[in-house]
Amino acid sequence: LDMARIIFAEEEEEEARIVVSIKDITERKQVEEALRTSEARYRLLVENANEAIVVAQDGMLKFVNRMAIDLTGYSEQELTSRPFPEFVHPDDRGMVVEHYLRRLKGDVSQPKYVFRLMARDGSIKWLEIGAALIVWEGKPATLNFFTDITARKQAEEALRESEDIFNQFMNHSPIYVFFKDENIKATRL
């Protein structure tokens, strides 16, 4: 029922009347319900993602999911009340801010890159970031997906160190070591 009003009789012989105006709002209610369902679905997806998801706007984090909180060790309030560059390793801050500003201008030439994050416990975490330009509450922002690649970086460094040790050993060994390739060519290490 959209609107109802009672019209009173001006004279005693007249009957009082009720005027009713009815408007079908079924479609609007269906759209509202579809929107609520869609929002619930996206909220479930974002909160259960295996990646940290944040929205950055005006140099601040406006939204952080549970994984971002777990990854950094900071509370939601801490993450959203300080400029986001404060969480970036000092050697990477300039690069991260530059990428952020370029993305806000629509530059998508480097959608993914790697940087270091300073976690609350003082540890350094390596993150791969993928980001997209969005509109958040009517203003430009970036939607950012962080993947923790710290274990991969540590494994790469351990492999590099192992290769260095192997090469030093081989270069100083009195024994000659040769490898044959598919053309039966011998190569000394």
Side-chain angles (χ1 to χ4, degrees):
L1 183 65
D2 192 26
M3 180 180 78
R5 83 187 146 130
I6 299 174
I7 299 175
F8 293 98
E10 292 183 19
E11 296 189 21
E12 286 187 30
E13 298 90 42
E14 292 183 26
E15 293 180 10
R17 297 175 290 185
I18 298 177
V19 176
V20 178
S21 171
I22 298 174
K23 183 177 183 181
D24 184 1
I25 58 170
T26 304
E27 185 177 336
R28 184 177 83 200
K29 290 295 185 183
Q30 289 170 339
V31 168
E32 289 171 357
E33 181 57 33
L35 181 59
R36 273 192 296 280
T37 300
S38 177
E39 286 173 350
R41 215 177 294 143
Y42 283 113
R43 188 176 304 108
L44 184 65
L45 175 70
V46 167
E47 288 305 321
N48 291 291
N50 287 327
E51 291 181 306
I53 301 173
V54 302
V55 172
Q57 184 181 64
D58 299 327
M60 303 290 287
L61 299 179
K62 299 296 185 169
F63 169 83
V64 295
N65 72 345
R66 178 88 233 147
M67 187 59 100
I69 294 166
D70 293 345
L71 177 70
T72 64
Y74 291 99
S75 70
E76 179 179 1
Q77 199 276 331
E78 288 172 309
L79 288 170
T80 58
S81 65
R82 295 171 35 196
F84 75 79
E86 288 184 19
F87 303 105
V88 177
H89 188 280
D91 294 342
D92 296 341
R93 281 186 189 143
M95 172 193 61
V96 170
V97 170
E98 180 185 329
H99 280 282
Y100 169 72
L101 294 173
R102 286 188 3 221
R103 190 162 289 108
L104 286 175
K105 293 177 182 174
D107 182 352
V108 293
S109 61
Q110 194 171 8
K112 288 190 175 193
Y113 62 94
V114 174
F115 73 97
R116 290 166 290 178
L117 171 110
M118 304 295 296
R120 189 173 216 290
D121 65 4
S123 65
I124 296 172
K125 302 209 176 171
W126 285 91
L127 303 180
E128 181 177 68
I129 179 176
L133 181 63
I134 63 168
V135 174
W136 183 267
E137 297 178 349
K139 294 171 51 179
T142 60
L143 176 62
N144 306 275
F145 300 88
F146 300 140
T147 303
D148 185 354
I149 60 167
T150 304
R152 182 178 88 196
K153 284 294 210 178
Q154 290 169 340
E156 288 171 357
E157 182 59 30
L159 178 61
R160 221 176 349 271
E161 288 173 5
S162 176
E163 287 173 343
D164 287 346
I165 291 169
F166 176 76
N167 286 331
Q168 287 177 12
F169 174 76
M170 294 308 292
N171 289 334
H172 295 94
S173 173
I175 301 169
Y176 290 101
V177 178
F178 292 92
F179 290 97
K180 288 188 199 177
D181 63 16
E182 63 273 358
N183 298 323
I184 310 181
K185 243 172 121 177
T187 306
R188 181 177 191 267
L189 282 182

Short mmCIF file of all heavy atoms in Angstrom, two decimals, residues 142-174:
data_model
loop_
_atom_site.label_atom_id
_atom_site.label_comp_id
_atom_site.label_asym_id
_atom_site.label_seq_id
_atom_site.Cartn_x
_atom_site.Cartn_y
_atom_site.Cartn_z
N THR A 142 42.19 1.64 -6.05
CA THR A 142 42.73 0.41 -6.63
C THR A 142 42.29 -0.78 -5.80
O THR A 142 42.26 -0.72 -4.57
CB THR A 142 44.27 0.44 -6.71
OG1 THR A 142 44.82 0.59 -5.40
CG2 THR A 142 44.75 1.56 -7.62
N LEU A 143 41.92 -1.83 -6.50
CA LEU A 143 41.60 -3.11 -5.88
C LEU A 143 42.85 -3.96 -6.02
O LEU A 143 43.32 -4.19 -7.13
CB LEU A 143 40.41 -3.76 -6.59
CG LEU A 143 40.01 -5.16 -6.12
CD1 LEU A 143 39.58 -5.15 -4.66
CD2 LEU A 143 38.89 -5.70 -7.01
N ASN A 144 43.41 -4.39 -4.89
CA ASN A 144 44.71 -5.04 -4.87
C ASN A 144 44.62 -6.45 -4.30
O ASN A 144 43.98 -6.66 -3.26
CB ASN A 144 45.68 -4.22 -4.02
CG ASN A 144 45.74 -2.78 -4.48
OD1 ASN A 144 46.48 -2.45 -5.39
ND2 ASN A 144 44.94 -1.92 -3.87
N PHE A 145 45.29 -7.38 -4.97
CA PHE A 145 45.34 -8.77 -4.54
C PHE A 145 46.80 -9.09 -4.23
O PHE A 145 47.65 -8.99 -5.11
CB PHE A 145 44.82 -9.69 -5.65
CG PHE A 145 43.41 -9.40 -6.04
CD1 PHE A 145 43.13 -8.45 -7.03
CD2 PHE A 145 42.36 -10.05 -5.42
CE1 PHE A 145 41.82 -8.17 -7.38
CE2 PHE A 145 41.05 -9.78 -5.78
CZ PHE A 145 40.78 -8.84 -6.75
N PHE A 146 47.08 -9.48 -2.99
CA PHE A 146 48.45 -9.80 -2.56
C PHE A 146 48.58 -11.30 -2.38
O PHE A 146 47.81 -11.91 -1.65
CB PHE A 146 48.79 -9.14 -1.23
CG PHE A 146 48.72 -7.64 -1.23
CD1 PHE A 146 48.20 -6.96 -0.15
CD2 PHE A 146 49.20 -6.90 -2.30
CE1 PHE A 146 48.15 -5.58 -0.12
CE2 PHE A 146 49.15 -5.51 -2.28
CZ PHE A 146 48.63 -4.85 -1.19
N THR A 147 49.61 -11.88 -3.01
CA THR A 147 49.95 -13.28 -2.81
C THR A 147 51.29 -13.33 -2.09
O THR A 147 52.26 -12.71 -2.53
CB THR A 147 50.07 -14.00 -4.17
OG1 THR A 147 48.83 -13.85 -4.87
CG2 THR A 147 50.37 -15.48 -3.98
N ASP A 148 51.33 -14.05 -0.98
CA ASP A 148 52.56 -14.18 -0.19
C ASP A 148 53.50 -15.15 -0.92
O ASP A 148 53.20 -16.33 -1.06
CB ASP A 148 52.23 -14.69 1.21
CG ASP A 148 53.43 -14.74 2.13
OD1 ASP A 148 54.57 -14.49 1.67
OD2 ASP A 148 53.24 -15.05 3.33
N ILE A 149 54.63 -14.64 -1.40
CA ILE A 149 55.61 -15.47 -2.10
C ILE A 149 56.92 -15.57 -1.31
O ILE A 149 57.96 -15.88 -1.87
CB ILE A 149 55.87 -14.95 -3.54
CG1 ILE A 149 56.42 -13.53 -3.52
CG2 ILE A 149 54.60 -15.05 -4.39
CD1 ILE A 149 56.98 -13.08 -4.86
N THR A 150 56.84 -15.33 -0.01
CA THR A 150 58.03 -15.36 0.84
C THR A 150 58.74 -16.71 0.76
O THR A 150 59.98 -16.75 0.59
CB THR A 150 57.65 -15.05 2.30
OG1 THR A 150 56.97 -13.78 2.33
CG2 THR A 150 58.88 -14.98 3.19
N ALA A 151 58.02 -17.81 0.86
CA ALA A 151 58.64 -19.14 0.81
C ALA A 151 59.34 -19.35 -0.53
O ALA A 151 60.45 -19.90 -0.58
CB ALA A 151 57.60 -20.22 1.06
N ARG A 152 58.73 -18.90 -1.61
CA ARG A 152 59.34 -19.05 -2.93
C ARG A 152 60.63 -18.24 -3.01
O ARG A 152 61.65 -18.72 -3.51
CB ARG A 152 58.37 -18.60 -4.02
CG ARG A 152 58.93 -18.78 -5.42
CD ARG A 152 57.94 -18.38 -6.49
NE ARG A 152 58.09 -16.96 -6.76
CZ ARG A 152 57.20 -16.22 -7.41
NH1 ARG A 152 56.07 -16.75 -7.82
NH2 ARG A 152 57.42 -14.95 -7.62
N LYS A 153 60.63 -17.01 -2.51
CA LYS A 153 61.82 -16.16 -2.52
C LYS A 153 62.93 -16.78 -1.68
O LYS A 153 64.10 -16.75 -2.07
CB LYS A 153 61.50 -14.76 -2.01
CG LYS A 153 60.77 -13.90 -3.01
CD LYS A 153 61.65 -13.63 -4.19
CE LYS A 153 61.35 -12.32 -4.82
NZ LYS A 153 62.23 -12.03 -5.95
N GLN A 154 62.57 -17.36 -0.53
CA GLN A 154 63.57 -18.01 0.32
C GLN A 154 64.16 -19.22 -0.39
O GLN A 154 65.37 -19.46 -0.32
CB GLN A 154 62.95 -18.40 1.66
CG GLN A 154 62.62 -17.20 2.52
CD GLN A 154 61.76 -17.54 3.73
OE1 GLN A 154 61.10 -18.57 3.78
NE2 GLN A 154 61.76 -16.64 4.70
N ALA A 155 63.32 -19.99 -1.08
CA ALA A 155 63.80 -21.16 -1.82
C ALA A 155 64.72 -20.73 -2.97
O ALA A 155 65.76 -21.35 -3.21
CB ALA A 155 62.63 -21.98 -2.35
N GLU A 156 64.38 -19.65 -3.67
CA GLU A 156 65.22 -19.14 -4.75
C GLU A 156 66.58 -18.70 -4.21
O GLU A 156 67.62 -18.98 -4.83
CB GLU A 156 64.54 -17.96 -5.46
CG GLU A 156 63.36 -18.35 -6.32
CD GLU A 156 62.58 -17.15 -6.84
OE1 GLU A 156 62.90 -15.98 -6.47
OE2 GLU A 156 61.62 -17.37 -7.61
N GLU A 157 66.59 -18.04 -3.07
CA GLU A 157 67.84 -17.59 -2.46
C GLU A 157 68.68 -18.78 -2.02
O GLU A 157 69.90 -18.81 -2.23
CB GLU A 157 67.56 -16.66 -1.27
CG GLU A 157 68.81 -16.10 -0.61
CD GLU A 157 69.70 -15.29 -1.55
OE1 GLU A 157 69.21 -14.67 -2.51
OE2 GLU A 157 70.92 -15.30 -1.31
N ALA A 158 68.07 -19.79 -1.43
CA ALA A 158 68.79 -21.00 -1.01
C ALA A 158 69.39 -21.71 -2.23
O ALA A 158 70.54 -22.18 -2.17
CB ALA A 158 67.86 -21.93 -0.25
N LEU A 159 68.66 -21.78 -3.33
CA LEU A 159 69.17 -22.40 -4.55
C LEU A 159 70.36 -21.61 -5.09
O LEU A 159 71.38 -22.18 -5.48
CB LEU A 159 68.06 -22.49 -5.61
CG LEU A 159 68.47 -23.08 -6.95
CD1 LEU A 159 68.98 -24.51 -6.79
CD2 LEU A 159 67.29 -23.02 -7.93
N ARG A 160 70.25 -20.29 -5.10
CA ARG A 160 71.34 -19.44 -5.57
C ARG A 160 72.61 -19.65 -4.72
O ARG A 160 73.71 -19.79 -5.25
CB ARG A 160 70.90 -17.96 -5.52
CG ARG A 160 71.33 -17.14 -6.67
CD ARG A 160 70.84 -15.70 -6.69
NE ARG A 160 69.83 -15.25 -5.77
CZ ARG A 160 68.52 -15.30 -5.98
NH1 ARG A 160 68.05 -15.78 -7.10
NH2 ARG A 160 67.67 -14.85 -5.08
N GLU A 161 72.43 -19.70 -3.42
CA GLU A 161 73.57 -19.94 -2.53
C GLU A 161 74.18 -21.31 -2.78
O GLU A 161 75.41 -21.46 -2.81
CB GLU A 161 73.14 -19.80 -1.07
CG GLU A 161 72.86 -18.38 -0.65
CD GLU A 161 72.27 -18.27 0.76
OE1 GLU A 161 72.17 -19.31 1.47
OE2 GLU A 161 71.92 -17.14 1.15
N SER A 162 73.35 -22.32 -2.99
CA SER A 162 73.83 -23.67 -3.26
C SER A 162 74.60 -23.72 -4.57
O SER A 162 75.66 -24.35 -4.66
CB SER A 162 72.63 -24.63 -3.31
OG SER A 162 73.05 -25.92 -3.65
N GLU A 163 74.09 -23.04 -5.59
CA GLU A 163 74.79 -22.99 -6.88
C GLU A 163 76.13 -22.28 -6.74
O GLU A 163 77.13 -22.70 -7.35
CB GLU A 163 73.91 -22.29 -7.92
CG GLU A 163 72.75 -23.11 -8.39
CD GLU A 163 71.79 -22.35 -9.31
OE1 GLU A 163 71.85 -21.09 -9.34
OE2 GLU A 163 71.00 -23.01 -9.99
N ASP A 164 76.18 -21.22 -5.94
CA ASP A 164 77.44 -20.51 -5.72
C ASP A 164 78.47 -21.42 -5.06
O ASP A 164 79.64 -21.46 -5.46
CB ASP A 164 77.23 -19.25 -4.86
CG ASP A 164 76.53 -18.14 -5.61
OD1 ASP A 164 76.44 -18.20 -6.85
OD2 ASP A 164 76.07 -17.19 -4.93
N ILE A 165 78.05 -22.15 -4.04
CA ILE A 165 78.95 -23.08 -3.36
C ILE A 165 79.44 -24.15 -4.32
O ILE A 165 80.63 -24.47 -4.38
CB ILE A 165 78.26 -23.70 -2.12
CG1 ILE A 165 78.05 -22.62 -1.06
CG2 ILE A 165 79.06 -24.87 -1.57
CD1 ILE A 165 77.15 -23.05 0.09
N PHE A 166 78.52 -24.70 -5.11
CA PHE A 166 78.89 -25.73 -6.09
C PHE A 166 79.90 -25.19 -7.09
O PHE A 166 80.91 -25.82 -7.39
CB PHE A 166 77.63 -26.25 -6.80
CG PHE A 166 77.92 -27.24 -7.89
CD1 PHE A 166 78.25 -28.55 -7.57
CD2 PHE A 166 77.88 -26.86 -9.23
CE1 PHE A 166 78.53 -29.47 -8.57
CE2 PHE A 166 78.15 -27.78 -10.23
CZ PHE A 166 78.48 -29.09 -9.90
N ASN A 167 79.64 -23.99 -7.62
CA ASN A 167 80.54 -23.39 -8.60
C ASN A 167 81.92 -23.10 -8.00
O ASN A 167 82.94 -23.31 -8.66
CB ASN A 167 79.93 -22.12 -9.20
CG ASN A 167 78.81 -22.43 -10.17
OD1 ASN A 167 78.81 -23.48 -10.80
ND2 ASN A 167 77.86 -21.52 -10.28
N GLN A 168 81.95 -22.62 -6.77
CA GLN A 168 83.23 -22.38 -6.11
C GLN A 168 84.00 -23.68 -5.94
O GLN A 168 85.21 -23.74 -6.18
CB GLN A 168 83.01 -21.71 -4.75
CG GLN A 168 82.61 -20.27 -4.84
CD GLN A 168 82.33 -19.67 -3.48
OE1 GLN A 168 82.64 -20.25 -2.44
NE2 GLN A 168 81.74 -18.48 -3.47
N PHE A 169 83.31 -24.71 -5.54
CA PHE A 169 83.94 -26.01 -5.37
C PHE A 169 84.50 -26.51 -6.69
O PHE A 169 85.64 -26.96 -6.78
CB PHE A 169 82.94 -27.03 -4.79
CG PHE A 169 83.46 -28.42 -4.73
CD1 PHE A 169 84.37 -28.80 -3.75
CD2 PHE A 169 83.07 -29.38 -5.67
CE1 PHE A 169 84.87 -30.09 -3.71
CE2 PHE A 169 83.55 -30.66 -5.63
CZ PHE A 169 84.47 -31.02 -4.64
N MET A 170 83.70 -26.44 -7.73
CA MET A 170 84.11 -26.94 -9.04
C MET A 170 85.27 -26.11 -9.62
O MET A 170 86.17 -26.66 -10.25
CB MET A 170 82.93 -26.96 -10.02
CG MET A 170 81.83 -27.93 -9.64
SD MET A 170 82.41 -29.60 -9.33
CE MET A 170 82.91 -30.09 -10.95
N ASN A 171 85.25 -24.81 -9.42
CA ASN A 171 86.31 -23.95 -9.95
C ASN A 171 87.65 -24.15 -9.24
O ASN A 171 88.70 -23.87 -9.80
CB ASN A 171 85.90 -22.48 -9.88
CG ASN A 171 84.83 -22.14 -10.89
OD1 ASN A 171 84.70 -22.79 -11.92
ND2 ASN A 171 84.03 -21.13 -10.58
N HIS A 172 87.61 -24.63 -8.01
CA HIS A 172 88.84 -24.83 -7.25
C HIS A 172 89.21 -26.30 -7.10
O HIS A 172 90.13 -26.64 -6.39
CB HIS A 172 88.71 -24.16 -5.87
CG HIS A 172 88.58 -22.69 -5.97
ND1 HIS A 172 87.35 -22.07 -5.99
CD2 HIS A 172 89.50 -21.70 -6.10
CE1 HIS A 172 87.52 -20.76 -6.10
NE2 HIS A 172 88.83 -20.51 -6.18
N SER A 173 88.51 -27.16 -7.76
CA SER A 173 88.75 -28.60 -7.66
C SER A 173 89.92 -28.99 -8.56
O SER A 173 90.00 -28.56 -9.71
CB SER A 173 87.49 -29.37 -8.07
OG SER A 173 87.78 -30.75 -8.13
N PRO A 174 90.83 -29.85 -8.06
CA PRO A 174 91.92 -30.33 -8.92
C PRO A 174 91.43 -31.38 -9.92
O PRO A 174 92.15 -31.75 -10.84
CB PRO A 174 92.90 -30.94 -7.92
CG PRO A 174 92.07 -31.32 -6.76
CD PRO A 174 90.93 -30.33 -6.71
#
